[in-house]
């Protein structure tokens, strides 16, 4: 299924390479474009999770009040989500989209000659970049470590609302993911083409900067809700 995406991704990277003349630069610009395209999705997730502390508190109250009655707890929780406009699946959407994109890129970069039509790309994929001697081969240490660090900070900054939800529901597994995911991606980056690890790392660094902006948006929304309550 993901192989369908490999061809258009190949066309985009090929076009970027023709315009820029550097394969690493084409990867960088592609990473930026994907993240900018996902910005509205991330922003919508942040707005939907604004006031998560209050929602978590109400969830705990529901669980205590209807302890043992799972059906009523689920019903009241859904009513709470509808009332506040919170979508519990919203936080997963950006990650799911990224997994789809990286799966298509993985197929492309593992079999580039099957999707690139320009003969120059045969040599371009083997370009070096800084300490990386060949972007088509795995970087054993530096890039995987950068991948893990960037992923950890990006997830930690964007997962505050999700962490509050997890604590309210007693879901330790959700909180553990922000530690397990960076380790898993660091291990995968150790064996994947350096160009793919580079794409992911750049994307996570951009997401860190987005999260700085999202933090302000969340604070503004939450302060706005608090002001409305005081007026009431």
């Amino acid at each position: 299924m993901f192989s369908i995406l490999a061809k258009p991704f190949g066309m985009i990277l090929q076009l970027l390479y023709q315009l820029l003349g550097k394969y690493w630069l084409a990867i960088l610009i592609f990473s930026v474009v994907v993240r900018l395209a996902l910005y509205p999705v991330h922003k919508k997730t942040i707005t939907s999770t604004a006031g998560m502390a209050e929602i978590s508190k109400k969830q705990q109250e529901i669980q205590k009040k209807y302890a043992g009655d799972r059906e009523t707890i689920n019903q009241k929780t859904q009513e709470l989500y509808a009332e506040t406009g919170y979508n519990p699946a919203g936080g997963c959407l950006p990650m799911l989209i990224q997994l789809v994109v990286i799966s298509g890129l993985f197929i492309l970069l593992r079999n580039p000659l099957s999707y690139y039509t320009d003969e120059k790309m045969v040599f371009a994929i083997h370009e070096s970049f800084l300490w990386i001697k060949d972007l088509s081969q795995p970087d054993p240490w530096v890039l995987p470590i950068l991948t893990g660090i960037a992923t950890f900070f990006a997830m930690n900054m964007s997962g505050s609302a999700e962490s509050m939800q997890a604590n309210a529901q007693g879901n330790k597994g959700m909180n553990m993911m922000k530690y397990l995911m960076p380790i898993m991606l660091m291990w995968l980056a150790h064996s994947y083409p350096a160009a793919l690890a580079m794409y992911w790392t750049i994307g996570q660094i951009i997401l860190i900067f987005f999260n700085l902006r999202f933090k302000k948006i969340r604070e503004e929304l939450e302060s706005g809700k608090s002001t409305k309550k005081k007026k009431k």
Side-chain angles (χ1 to χ4, degrees):
M1 179 180 71
F2 297 119
S3 59
I4 298 174
L5 296 174
K7 189 171 183 179
F9 287 168
M11 292 173 65
I12 294 171
L13 283 172
Q14 188 170 279
L15 177 61
L16 288 172
Y17 176 75
Q18 291 170 349
L19 293 172
L20 303 169
K22 294 290 184 181
Y23 189 56
W24 67 266
L25 193 53
I27 296 290
L28 188 153
I29 296 300
F30 182 80
S31 303
V32 172
V33 169
V34 171
R35 275 298 171 188
L36 289 176
L38 287 175
Y39 181 85
V41 179
H42 285 294
K43 185 176 179 180
K44 186 176 181 180
T45 300
I46 294 303
T47 56
S48 70
T49 56
M52 191 63 224
E54 182 184 351
I55 295 173
S56 298
K57 184 179 179 181
K58 290 183 178 180
Q59 280 183 300
Q60 290 175 333
E61 291 174 357
I62 290 171
Q63 290 172 354
K64 288 179 181 179
K65 185 176 181 179
Y66 302 100
D69 189 348
R70 177 58 56 184
E71 185 177 344
T72 303
I73 290 175
N74 290 336
Q75 181 184 343
K76 294 296 182 181
T77 301
Q78 292 302 318
E79 290 175 0
L80 174 64
Y81 290 161
E83 179 185 343
T84 57
Y86 171 67
N87 181 5
C92 301
L93 185 57
M95 181 61 74
L96 288 175
I97 295 174
Q98 271 289 55
L99 288 175
V100 170
V101 173
I102 203 169
S103 297
L105 274 178
F106 174 76
I107 294 170
L108 167 65
L109 298 176
R110 284 296 290 265
N111 304 283
L113 300 183
S114 301
Y115 299 98
Y116 289 131
T117 57
D118 190 342
E119 293 181 359
K120 293 180 180 178
M121 298 301 292
V122 175
F123 303 99
I125 61 175
H126 296 290
E127 278 186 6
S128 61
F129 174 61
L130 297 178
W131 70 90
I132 305 169
K133 295 180 179 180
D134 188 339
L135 285 169
S136 68
Q137 299 299 316
D139 177 42
W141 296 110
V142 180
L143 196 52
I145 292 172
L146 290 176
T147 298
I149 292 172
T151 302
F152 173 78
F153 280 106
M155 290 188 69
N156 195 52
M157 291 174 69
S158 61
S160 57
E162 287 78 5
S163 295
M164 282 187 282
Q165 181 191 10
N167 291 332
Q169 296 175 341
N171 188 347
K172 295 181 180 180
M174 190 180 294
N175 281 328
M176 283 298 293
M177 281 303 294
K178 68 180 180 181
Y179 300 105
L180 295 177
M181 184 68 78
I183 295 172
M184 183 182 72
L185 288 169
M186 187 163 50
W187 178 75
L188 291 173
H190 185 77
S191 59
Y192 283 2
L196 185 62
M198 180 180 166
Y199 159 80
W200 182 265
T201 304
I202 292 169
Q204 295 305 295
I205 292 172
I206 294 171
L207 184 56
I208 289 171
F209 286 100
F210 280 177
N211 284 333
L212 294 174
R213 170 60 182 159
F214 293 153
K215 184 180 179 181
K216 292 181 180 179
I217 294 174
R218 182 185 284 125
E219 289 173 351
E220 289 171 0
L221 288 169
E222 290 181 348
S223 63
K225 287 184 178 181
S226 299
T227 303
K228 288 181 179 178
K229 283 187 176 180
K230 288 179 181 179
K231 288 182 178 179
K232 289 182 180 179

